[in-house]
Amino acid sequence: MERCKMAEAESLETAAEHERILREIESTDTACIGPTLRSVYDGEEHGRFMEKLETRIRNHDREIEKMCNFHYQGFVDSITELLKVRGEAQKLKAQQQRNLDNIVLQQPRIGSKRKAKKDAYTIFDTEIESTSPKSEQDSGILDVEDEEDEEEVPGTQDLVDFSPVYRCLHIYSVLGARETFENYYRKQRRKQARLVLQPPSNMHETLDGYRKYFNQIVGFFVVEDHILHTTQGLVNRAYIDELWEMALSKTIAALRTHSSYCSDPNLVLDLKNLIVLFADTLQVYGFPVNQLFDMLLEIRDQYSETLLKKWAGIFRNILDSDNYSPIPVTSEEMYKKVVGQFPFQDIELEKQPFPKKFPFSEFVPKVYSQIKEFIYACLKFSEDLHLSTTEVDDMIRKSTNLLLTRTLSNSLQNVIKRKNIGLTELVQIIINTTHLEKSCKYLEEFITSITNVLPETVHTSKLYGTTTFKDARHAAEEEIYTNLNQKIDQFLQLADYDWMTGDLGNKASDYLVDLIAFLRSTFAVFTHLPGKVAQTACMSACKHLATSLMQLLLEAEVRQLTLGALQQFNLDVRECEQFARSGPVPGFQEDTLQLAFIDLRQLLDLFIQWDWSTYLADYGQPNCKYLRVNPVTALTLLEKMKDTSRKNNMFAQFRKNERDKQKLIDTVAKQLRGLISSHHS
């Protein structure tokens, strides 16, 4: 039993020794293997060792065969791929094209191996993680509670399979044809770049069209950047810069063309945000993007134009829907709501009990609020453009000036020039524009509050709102004058004088009484107008009435008139003078308004009093009684009287007094002609 145990122990020792020798043979250099072999031949179990050696050799042979088979198959596969390189290149292109969108959808993720917290904005419709650098103190690394919200950010190699490119590059390199593959790869990628840079014809119709276009371009250059940094020489910086220069040129041209079709400011703003993200993304990869930001300044001008068109519609709707009546308020809450929309303060109005009225109509607070909304819209475009506060302030002020001087001004002028505009509406427009003009300083302060650029800063543009509202007010004033004159003309069309009457009237004509009543009620509405406007309107109306009455008296269709008709006409002029003396609007001095009718008064007095001796004797003197009577006017009217005296009575020539009167008229007419000819000579 003990012998058996001893034999077994010796056998284990021998096996262990043989294993040691075999390992030594496998790991020892052939030049130093002599001592190892000597120990084998010196041993007693030479035969058993040889058996183990044979077994070990067979095992190694199987491993070698297995390895050769494995690498041989790979070599065969690689050669097959090489022979089919053109086909594979096309497949690679198709596969890559499918991967492009995915690449960009996962972009400030691409190339990042850091953990980052989810941010609150999106890029190309996909949530991204902020990759802005943080200090150790504020990075959140030590904040255990936030770790659950973090996720590992995949890199480019996690999103795109680059192995086909790497295998082909390796095969060509082994075959000594690396340069051939480099040239082929670059040529194919240039072709693919041209396809990627070709925008769809309807790209401008939706934001998705632009997004897809940007996705393709970003995906293409992210792939090239990865190839640049993971291969040695397949692409180089010069090649990528050349591609980017071409891409930048084509991209800008495409954006200029397609963005010009866009009339929606919201779409233009979204496009701007996409371009900013597109530029910032590629800038991270080292591509120069200054030209993109320069182009954004061009798009800014287009954005401003689309905003102006949009606000033209907004202003038009506000002005069309306004009732042009002072805003009534019945409670403190309503009062505060209005003054919250528009900067207005009137201590006297505040003291009045409810209900009460603001002097302006609804369009004042609405227009003011929309001007502020426009300023906000301008500010949105300036965000993320890397502009200084001064540049932003200047941009906003210039756009706002266009809104005021062009868009709002045109809207106001269109309302003022409407055919059916009434005097009440025109008066309210004057009041409204007066208050809007006063609010311009608050608009200046509003812009300063959002840009932090003081108005007194050098090169700061001033708002032209004051000019806009003054021009609108002056246009409304002129329209009031024109409108009043048209109303007067309508009444004068009702005049129906009997120029051949022999009766002496005792009251003014009905049409003129109605006309004066209209003027009184009209000027009563002018109480809220600036004093000068009301005075000018009243003086303009009186002058127009006086001129129209003079034309009525002297018109060629009135061939004859009697003294009785002249007396009736005189009653109507007296009614006009009485209206002027009554002070229809305050502010006139003494008989200033009556002077509008002075030409008519002197002419009628001359004829009714038949005071020709005074007229002829004093003519030309600076203080003569009939200074305002022109001899041509006097002759024209006298000719109408002369014709009447001849035909009014068939027996007139037989009556001495009539003959004497006829001679007197002829004599006066002759002297008047003398005055006229001497004046002309």
Side-chain angles (χ1 to χ4, degrees), residues 421-473:
I421 190 76
L423 285 170
T424 303
E425 288 89 344
L426 290 169
V427 169
Q428 191 62 59
I429 288 174
I430 291 175
I431 296 171
N432 288 354
T433 51
T434 299
H435 286 283
L436 284 170
E437 180 185 345
K438 294 178 180 177
S439 73
C440 287
K441 65 177 182 178
Y442 297 103
L443 289 175
E444 290 270 11
E445 293 173 2
F446 175 68
I447 293 176
T448 299
S449 70
I450 62 177
T451 63
N452 294 320
V453 177
L454 298 177
E456 57 268 18
T457 303
V458 180
H459 304 309
T460 298
S461 300
K462 303 299 180 184
L463 289 186
Y464 301 141
T466 300
T467 303
T468 295
F469 298 125
K470 276 184 178 178
D471 291 346
R473 186 167 65 253

Side-chain angles (χ1 to χ4, degrees), residues 209-227:
Y210 290 107
R211 183 181 288 112
K212 182 178 179 181
Y213 182 61
F214 290 138
N215 287 348
Q216 296 175 171
I217 299 172
V218 172
F220 181 91
F221 282 98
V222 168
V223 167
E224 290 306 287
D225 181 80
H226 188 76
I227 292 293

